[in-house]
Amino acid sequence: GQLAKSPEELKEMTWGKRNRSQIQHPFTKQFPKLLAKLINFPERPLAGDGLVVRVNKPTNGASMRMVIDLSDFKNSRFSQPGGQSGYFLSPHYQDLFESWYLGRGVGFESTEMESYQLITPSQN
């Protein structure tokens, strides 16, 4: 296909416009678009590609990245594109997305538990 109709349009073309995150909950294909938009992750421009170290493609990428500091484990970091919970109503459903997107990561160790959620089957 044609990349641009005129050379001026080339200035506006970036890899991130073509390579954008499209992280979707597996159930949202069955949901109305408005509800799916609330549950799916924000669409963002991505660096990388499928054949480089920073693997990022619209619907496929690194499920986890980590750096382990062998001299001091407290400096070790990890990131993942989702959150600490796969339950879309949890406040931790997308809580790690931003650090993954920015390539910052979060520490492995935690000194205290901030919250928890207990899910039990109904007794019907």
Side-chain angles (χ1 to χ4, degrees), residues 51-97:
L51 300 173
V52 297
V53 174
R54 188 170 181 179
V55 177
N56 278 324
K57 292 169 63 176
T59 58
N60 186 7
S63 60
M64 180 183 207
R65 297 183 184 115
M66 72 176 140
V67 176
I68 306 296
D69 184 339
L70 298 176
S71 66
D72 185 356
F73 288 116
K74 291 179 184 171
N75 291 330
S76 299
R77 311 205 49 83
F78 83 99
S79 65
Q80 63 188 43
Q84 292 193 32
S85 173
Y87 179 51
F88 59 84
L89 294 177
S90 168
H92 302 288
Y93 176 61
Q94 293 187 15
D95 62 350
L96 298 175
F97 175 77

Side-chain angles (χ1 to χ4, degrees), residues 2 5 19 24-25 28 35 43 49-51 57 60 64 69 75 80 85-86 88 92 94 101 103-104 108 116:
Q2 187 175 350
K5 293 178 184 175
N19 194 39
Q24 299 177 350
H25 191 283
T28 59
L35 184 57
E43 190 173 303
D49 190 26
L51 300 173
K57 292 169 63 176
N60 186 7
M64 180 183 207
D69 184 339
N75 291 330
Q80 63 188 43
S85 173
F88 59 84
H92 302 288
Q94 293 187 15
Y101 174 71
R104 293 185 180 153
F108 274 103
Y116 68 92

Side-chain angles (χ1 to χ4, degrees), residues 14-23 40-47 54 56-59 81 94 96-103:
T14 65
W15 182 241
K17 285 184 180 180
R18 175 148 172 76
N19 194 39
R20 299 184 64 78
S21 66
Q22 296 173 4
I23 302 170
N40 291 334
F41 288 72
E43 190 173 303
R44 300 271 177 85
L46 296 172
R54 188 170 181 179
N56 278 324
K57 292 169 63 176
T59 58
Q94 293 187 15
L96 298 175
F97 175 77
E98 197 67 24
S99 65
W100 170 83
Y101 174 71
L102 297 172

